[in-house]
Amino acid sequence: MHSEFDLITRFLTPASPQAGAGVSLGVGDDCTLLSPTPGQRLAVSVDTSVVDVHFPAGAPAEAIGHRALAVSLSDLAAMGAHSRWCLMSLTLPTADDTDWLEDFARGFHALCDATGTALVGGDTTQGELAIGVTVMGEVSPALSLTRDGARPGDLLAVTGALGGGAGGLALWQQGERDLGHPLLARYLLPQPRLAAGEALAGLATAAIDISDGLLADLKHLLASSGVGAELEAASLPLAEGLVEALGETRARDAALSGGDDYELLVSLPAEHLDEARKRLAASDLALSIIGHISASPGITGIAEAVRGGWQHFSGQADDGVTP
């Protein structure tokens, strides 16, 4: 039987030194001591991933580790923040499955390394598998992206493609297990759009990450900004293989309401569009116009039947599309 401290030392302590990463005191004490960059605001967010709610129990441990961090980092991306540090709270049914823990830690640490995020502390306990990840980033006060800046006349745009999360879950439920499949990769190995968020800072007027579905998250942005939106449903960028997997109608429903896409939804003035696309081209990431902001409340341009979104406490989407 492994103790809590054995687990932390073996699997949850970064292999590389943290000196120079703004970490004065890292894993191993009651608190970590951090040194934010002078003049920057600290952006902080937390997400919890629970087995068979946010990921299937049979998913590869390495993918679970990656995904648990990625969904939290996506919130930093939506603020235009530069990722710096993270904390992890890990609840495990048993501490004896060291092979699973090694794979989980490999996926988590790999994304830490890829995004320049230092794991600086956390906690472990016993229970149903769940991972809580708190992320901390930095953003200039003048450049932070929020949900409340959209204005009538702004364009509405999304990075990347939509519907892949819902499409990947559908394939998993049908027995697909190859993470090389683009839809399954989008579901289990989402890529937080940190570089895109930083690139769009100063150009976008408002932003949110698409975790609960395009429509649900758009409603949050519109409510914060006190505006409405007119969507162009035919302009939605659909994830690779989505139509083939779900058919045209279900694919568009998944793009609107499926959730788990972790792309960025932004509003921006038309005169900033060319510069925004130029900046994102460095990351080989598309920016698609899907509508515009209007003064009248509500969302127009789509059928009422597909206006749902993921509801955490009901366990399903409003429109029956499971993310």
Side-chain angles (χ1 to χ4, degrees):
M1 174 72 69
H2 295 277
S3 72
E4 174 185 2
F5 305 105
D6 290 337
L7 293 182
I8 292 172
T9 299
R10 182 172 176 184
F11 300 107
L12 305 181
T13 301
S16 57
Q18 295 174 316
V23 183
S24 302
L25 182 64
V27 177
D29 216 305
D30 290 304
C31 291
T32 185
L33 298 178
L34 305 175
S35 301
T37 303
Q40 296 284 293
R41 283 181 175 166
L42 192 63
V44 182
S45 184
V46 62
D47 270 287
T48 302
S49 298
V50 179
V51 65
D52 285 333
V53 176
H54 301 97
F55 60 87
E62 189 167 348
I64 294 173
H66 170 104
R67 194 179 193 282
L69 176 58
V71 300
S72 285
L73 290 176
S74 185
D75 289 326
L76 292 184
M79 297 293 292
H82 177 72
S83 182
R84 295 295 306 275
W85 310 288
C86 69
L87 301 167
M88 174 169 49
S89 177
L90 179 60
T91 303
L92 293 166
T94 175
D96 292 333
D97 191 348
T98 56
D99 288 342
W100 188 95
L101 279 166
E102 277 192 31
D103 289 345
F104 171 86
R106 184 184 306 112
F108 192 94
H109 289 307
L111 188 56
C112 280
D113 292 342
T115 58
T117 307
L119 177 62
V120 295
D123 186 38
T124 60
T125 190
Q126 186 174 21
E128 184 179 44
L129 178 60
I131 312 105
V133 178
T134 299
V135 290
M136 291 162 276
E138 295 178 337
V139 63
S140 165
L143 296 179
S144 55
L145 295 172
T146 61
R147 300 178 181 182
D148 63 358
R151 298 293 178 263
D154 284 352
L155 300 175
L156 267 178
V158 292
T159 61
L162 303 176
L169 175 58
L171 289 183
W172 178 274
Q173 292 171 337
Q174 294 166 17
E176 178 63 65
R177 295 294 182 267
D178 179 11
L179 292 188
H181 192 291
L183 292 180
L184 208 57
R186 282 184 171 271
Y187 171 52
L188 290 177
L189 297 170
Q191 300 301 313
R193 302 305 191 187
L194 288 163
E198 290 190 66
L200 292 169
L203 299 177
T205 53
I208 189 171
D209 77 316
I210 302 173
S211 56
D212 297 330
L214 171 64
L215 291 179
D217 291 313
L218 173 59
K219 289 176 183 177
H220 296 317
L221 187 150
L222 298 179
S224 293
S225 295
V227 293
E230 183 170 344
L231 288 183
E232 300 168 4
S235 298
L236 296 179
L238 302 183
E240 179 185 355
L242 188 63
V243 173
E244 291 80 0
L246 301 183
E248 182 75 28
T249 299
R250 288 186 63 206
R252 295 205 171 275
D253 287 350
L256 287 166
S257 304
D260 274 340
D261 281 323
Y262 301 103
E263 297 290 352
L264 299 183
L265 169 66
V266 302
S267 60
L268 75 166
E271 59 266 27
H272 290 171
L273 178 59
D274 288 344
E275 177 62 21
R277 283 176 165 164
K278 180 180 176 181
R279 293 185 185 183
L280 294 188
S283 303
D284 196 26
L285 190 63
L287 185 68
S288 301
I289 304 304
I290 62 168
H292 63 269
I293 297 294
S294 60
S296 301
I299 301 173
T300 61
I302 57 167
E304 187 69 32
V306 293
R307 295 192 180 191
W310 177 246
Q311 302 293 316
H312 290 278
F313 286 94
S314 68
Q316 65 180 11
D318 286 347
D319 62 351
V321 178
T322 304

